[in-house]
Amino acid sequence: MKKIKEIIVVEGKDDTVAIKRAVNADTIETNGSAVNESCIEQVRLAQETRGVIIFTDPDFPGQKIRNIISEQVKGCKHAFLTKKEALPKSGRGIGVEHASPEAIRNALKDAQLMDEEASEEISQQDLIDAGLIGGSGAKERRERLGSILKIGFTNGKQLYKRLKMFQISTEAFYEAIVQINQEEKHE
């Protein structure tokens, strides 16, 4: 089983269990969206010594945790699951704990670094022109784009910021849009 060098930040014990089924890794559990100073200090130390991958649920509380940590601890990598990958086989909820070991390994393999100071390559107008903001089907197109580019799902407001932070090139962006358009034609 592959050993992950970085320490993975997850939301809770069930996420740790799921991670350990997929890879050999150490985790820090935030225990919910009220991330306390002690947890931030642990993440800071982990980032200084081994590096950190933030791997939270693809929902609002997971995004909130991701934002709190990445604002206070610079240089963390980010791993994302699609909502589909994080759904339970039966029952309710959404989360890393429901993902298959393969989906977890793929998300960790694709973990990326965000750059807060990145320059703009893709404008808000590009997002509108690509049918990612406003109009019917925009949410589904954003979800698919997030999956193709491995940057997770976001709302319309956050998409622009996320593309900039991950330094997604215009070439990669338009290749993904072409792929989405082709998939929609074949539906």
Side-chain angles (χ1 to χ4, degrees), residues 63 66-67 80 114 151-154 157-168:
Q63 187 59 45
R66 185 182 297 278
N67 291 343
F80 297 94
M114 285 189 180
I151 61 170
F153 172 72
T154 61
K157 269 185 169 173
Q158 289 293 314
L159 179 59
Y160 170 75
K161 185 177 177 188
R162 181 109 18 119
L163 288 167
K164 191 173 157 183
M165 286 192 307
F166 280 118
Q167 298 180 322
I168 301 298

Side-chain angles (χ1 to χ4, degrees), residues 9 36 43 72 131 138:
V9 177
N36 63 31
V43 175
Q72 296 190 40

Side-chain angles (χ1 to χ4, degrees), residues 166-178:
F166 280 118
Q167 298 180 322
I168 301 298
S169 69
T170 44
E171 183 182 353
F173 174 76
Y174 283 111
E175 283 175 11
I177 295 302
V178 166

